[in-house]
């Protein structure tokens, strides 16, 4: 089995709108739908991941506060990149306007 990292992505405006309108009840509903969705994937999840917060960009120019579309991540195992991507086609986050999931192959660092 190969490992893949999935990044949950959403346009900043969509995230801002969701956060503005999120009620505790809606939050519980989303959490329940995500947990049910994840459970339906069996043992594919190596690392559930987590939501991502504020970020800083480090470059040759220094450190800056920035925003990007990353909202969270997970790590899964699958036989192929296509099989890994297929795990996310019914992800509950995809109901958010403009949301998508980036699935990337995890390589290994030379030891």
């Amino acid at each position: 089995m190969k490992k893949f990292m999935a990044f949950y992505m959403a346009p900043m405006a969509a995230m801002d709108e969701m956060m503005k309108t999120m009620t505790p009840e809606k939050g519980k509903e989303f959490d329940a739908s995500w947990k049910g969705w994840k459970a339906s994937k069996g043992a594919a999840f190596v690392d559930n991941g987590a939501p991502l917060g504020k970020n800083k960009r480090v470059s040759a120019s220094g450190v800056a506060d920035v925003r990007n579309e990353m909202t969270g991540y997970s790590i899964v195992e699958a036989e192929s990149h296509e099989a890994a991507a297929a795990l996310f086609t019914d992800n509950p986050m995809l109901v958010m306007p403009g949301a998508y999931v980036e699935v990337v192959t995890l390589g290994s660092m030379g030891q």
Side-chain angles (χ1 to χ4, degrees):
M1 293 282 240
K2 298 173 185 171
K3 289 185 181 177
F4 301 87
M5 180 171 274
F7 291 100
Y8 304 102
M9 314 287 286
M12 289 179 276
M15 279 302 295
D16 290 343
E17 182 64 24
M18 184 190 82
M19 296 308 286
K20 186 171 67 175
T21 61
M22 183 64 68
T23 64
E25 295 79 21
K26 283 183 183 177
K28 286 179 184 176
E29 286 175 19
F30 181 79
D31 286 347
S33 69
W34 199 90
K35 287 176 183 174
W37 168 81
K38 185 195 158 290
S40 75
K41 303 306 171 184
F45 278 75
V46 174
D47 181 342
N48 289 336
L52 299 174
K54 295 179 181 181
N55 64 305
K56 295 196 180 282
R57 180 167 296 151
V58 181
S59 69
S61 303
V63 178
D65 291 329
V66 296
R67 291 183 74 193
N68 62 35
E69 294 189 337
M70 292 182 171
T71 66
Y73 79 96
S74 294
I75 298 175
V76 297
E77 283 186 330
E79 292 293 330
S80 67
H81 203 168
E82 291 74 17
L87 292 168
F88 296 91
T89 58
D90 59 347
N91 183 273
M93 186 181 157
L94 297 177
V95 301
M96 183 185 306
Y100 57 102
V101 180
E102 295 278 351
V103 181
V104 298
T105 305
L106 282 178
S108 60
M109 298 294 285
Q111 299 296 324

